[in-house]
Amino acid sequence: MEETRHTFLQGNNLPDNFAGKRNFTIVESGFGTGLNFLAVARLFTDHAEKDVTLDYISFEKYPLGADQIADVLGLWRDELGADYFDALIENYPLRVNGFHRLCLSPRIRLTLVFDDMNRAMPELHVPRGVDAWFLDGFAPAKNPDMWSDTLFHNMTRLSRSGATVATFTAAGDVRRGLAAAGFM
């Protein structure tokens, strides 16, 4: 939880970056257990103006099941926000490739993309642009396919002016890819 707060929330200057926007869009590489999403949903609910909406789009090549997510994150249910936690578990889609849209509240929409990022990201359209990127995949040595030119090209294509990016990895290939995409 502290790594999520430090790396992704503080790394993207949240909640301050919610200010002044009617819609805030985050794209994440690697949904995993949904910890990052639930932490953002709670922060957004607590700090964003009431007329702002959140679109959270997350790619996951190997999705967990709802029961696995509930087992792993159950200890943080109340801290993450029981309403969003329960809504995620109750509405979690079947693990079938494709785009799965969940409206977890009138203000918060989650789009889960169960597919390889390199194949699915070129199909993604974000009319208002992406405000923040959570690059939450394993390091390039363990997951080289994710850190591709396709990722970096689509980050440039989809980003709103002033978009931010945060990641755990400090690998040189990733830094060079981000720089080429205009993020460093």
Side-chain angles (χ1 to χ4, degrees):
M1 189 66 159
E2 288 306 314
E3 287 180 351
T4 290
R5 286 185 182 120
H6 175 76
T7 300
F8 297 109
L9 305 183
Q10 292 173 9
N12 280 293
N13 197 30
L14 303 179
D16 293 345
N17 279 347
F18 297 146
K21 297 182 177 76
R22 305 281 299 150
N23 175 267
F24 196 85
T25 301
I26 296 171
V27 174
E28 175 185 45
S29 62
F31 187 73
T33 63
L35 174 64
N36 293 338
F37 165 71
L38 291 168
V40 166
R42 178 68 184 258
L43 189 72
F44 180 82
T45 300
D46 291 347
H47 295 281
E49 295 294 325
K50 300 302 178 211
D51 61 342
V52 179
T53 58
L54 173 67
D55 279 303
Y56 194 101
I57 303 162
S58 188
F59 291 85
E60 180 57 60
K61 188 174 182 179
Y62 303 106
L64 298 173
D67 55 339
Q68 293 171 299
I69 293 170
D71 287 346
V72 172
L73 292 183
L75 293 174
W76 288 300
R77 180 179 175 268
D78 293 332
E79 185 176 347
L80 292 168
D83 291 345
Y84 294 120
F85 179 91
D86 293 344
L88 174 63
I89 300 305
E90 290 169 15
N91 295 290
Y92 195 77
L94 294 175
R95 293 181 286 176
V96 175
N97 273 11
F99 286 68
H100 307 275
R101 185 131 169 132
L102 309 173
C103 292
L104 299 179
S105 82
R107 297 179 56 214
I108 298 179
R109 294 176 296 272
L110 169 63
T111 302
L112 292 170
V113 184
F114 294 160
D115 204 342
D116 182 285
M117 281 187 71
N118 291 307
R119 184 174 36 252
M121 190 174 268
E123 296 178 31
L124 183 63
H125 300 283
V126 183
R128 292 181 214 107
V130 175
D131 296 288
W133 293 88
F134 289 16
L135 300 182
D136 191 15
F138 289 105
K142 292 186 178 185
N143 187 9
D145 293 340
M146 188 192 98
W147 304 99
S148 68
D149 288 340
T150 300
L151 168 66
F152 300 122
H153 166 77
N154 281 286
M155 288 177 69
T156 301
R157 176 181 71 84
L158 294 167
S159 291
R160 184 185 282 187
S161 177
T164 59
V165 62
T167 183
F168 282 114
T169 188
D173 289 345
V174 173
R175 284 183 298 184
R176 285 186 289 280
L178 290 171
F183 285 95
M184 297 184 91

